[in-house]
Amino acid sequence: MALVTLAEVKTHLGVKSSTHDAQLASFITSAEANIYNWVRRTSFESATYTEYPQGLNSKWLRLREMPVTSITSVAIDSERTFASSATLATTEYSLINGGLYRVTGTWPGVVQRRSGLLGASVQPSNGIIKVVYVAGYATVPEDIKYCVKQAVARTIAVKGGGALKSESLDGYTYTLDSEAGRGDALGEEVRKILNKYKRVTV
């Protein structure tokens, strides 16, 4: 889904004319692409995901997408066919803060014993756990919309000769954002806001 509308960006920028609508639309597309790249996501929209997370014989299993709003099914199958008999009962796990807590036992990993080692090591479960779940937002959070608008404003400022970082009134002084010259499309403020939306990498 589009994160902001052209009208929302124009209001943010104080633009009333439609002369540069096409250019602004391209800036919005670019800003959204940069934001998705930063947060390592392809969408903020609520959708159903199928994931094969890696178990490590621990009680917790972290899912990549967020926020997780519901779990459709969880299955464990060493043969990876995932017949209905492999589906866990909902009483066997609990969704807590975007992660799955195994109520009964642990999420299996692969235990390996190698000659020369004193003990066994646990390796990732390699696709024997399957989770189908719903994650994302029904509506775009306002701070994400703000980030898109600010990224567009930054693009315009840079193309106009430099992004203004700060200014003062007495004896008027100003400072240009040095990050703009290094190809930073988002800026520090926007990146800080977006950090909480970064997809978990596992």
Side-chain angles (χ1 to χ4, degrees):
M1 62 178 167
L3 300 180
V4 296
T5 65
L6 177 61
E8 287 174 318
V9 170
K10 289 174 70 174
T11 298
H12 181 76
L13 298 173
V15 175
K16 297 181 179 180
S17 169
S18 59
T19 304
H20 301 291
D21 280 6
Q23 188 176 35
L24 281 176
S26 71
F27 290 168
I28 293 170
T29 300
S30 178
E32 292 184 355
N34 287 324
I35 285 171
Y36 281 130
N37 182 61
W38 178 256
V39 298
R40 299 192 290 264
R41 299 170 69 138
T42 57
S43 176
F44 287 105
E45 187 174 10
S46 181
T48 299
Y49 298 91
T50 299
E51 188 177 332
Y52 298 85
Q54 302 287 20
L56 289 168
N57 278 4
S58 68
K59 299 286 286 184
W60 287 96
L61 199 64
R62 180 61 60 182
L63 300 174
R64 287 197 312 265
E65 305 299 332
M66 61 180 187
V68 180
T69 54
S70 65
I71 302 295
T72 305
S73 65
V74 180
I76 300 176
D77 185 0
S78 60
E79 300 299 321
R80 301 178 179 85
T81 58
F82 298 105
S84 58
S85 58
T87 301
L88 300 183
T90 56
T91 54
E92 296 185 59
Y93 58 86
S94 181
L95 176 63
I96 303 174
N97 295 328
L100 284 180
Y101 178 78
R102 187 79 188 272
V103 175
T104 56
T106 60
W107 299 107
V110 177
V111 178
Q112 293 184 344
R113 290 179 172 82
R114 297 179 180 177
S115 60
L117 296 179
L118 294 177
S121 63
V122 179
Q123 302 298 318
S125 54
N126 294 324
I128 67 172
I129 304 171
K130 179 182 179 181
V131 182
V132 181
Y133 63 102
V134 178
Y137 301 93
T139 57
V140 180
E142 288 301 317
D143 55 352
I144 293 178
K145 288 188 174 187
Y146 172 78
C147 287
V148 178
K149 297 169 188 176
Q150 285 297 93
V152 171
R154 182 178 182 81
T155 299
I156 293 170
V158 170
K159 287 184 176 294
L164 190 64
K165 184 174 184 179
S166 65
E167 57 185 333
S168 60
L169 295 176
D170 291 334
Y172 188 78
T173 60
Y174 68 91
T175 303
L176 292 178
D177 191 345
S178 59
E179 292 178 339
R182 300 200 299 268
D184 180 2
L186 298 177
E188 183 179 358
E189 177 198 19
V190 168
R191 291 196 310 272
K192 284 182 177 179
I193 294 171
L194 292 173
N195 279 342
K196 67 180 179 181
Y197 294 104
K198 273 192 171 182
R199 190 178 73 175
V200 177
T201 55
V202 291

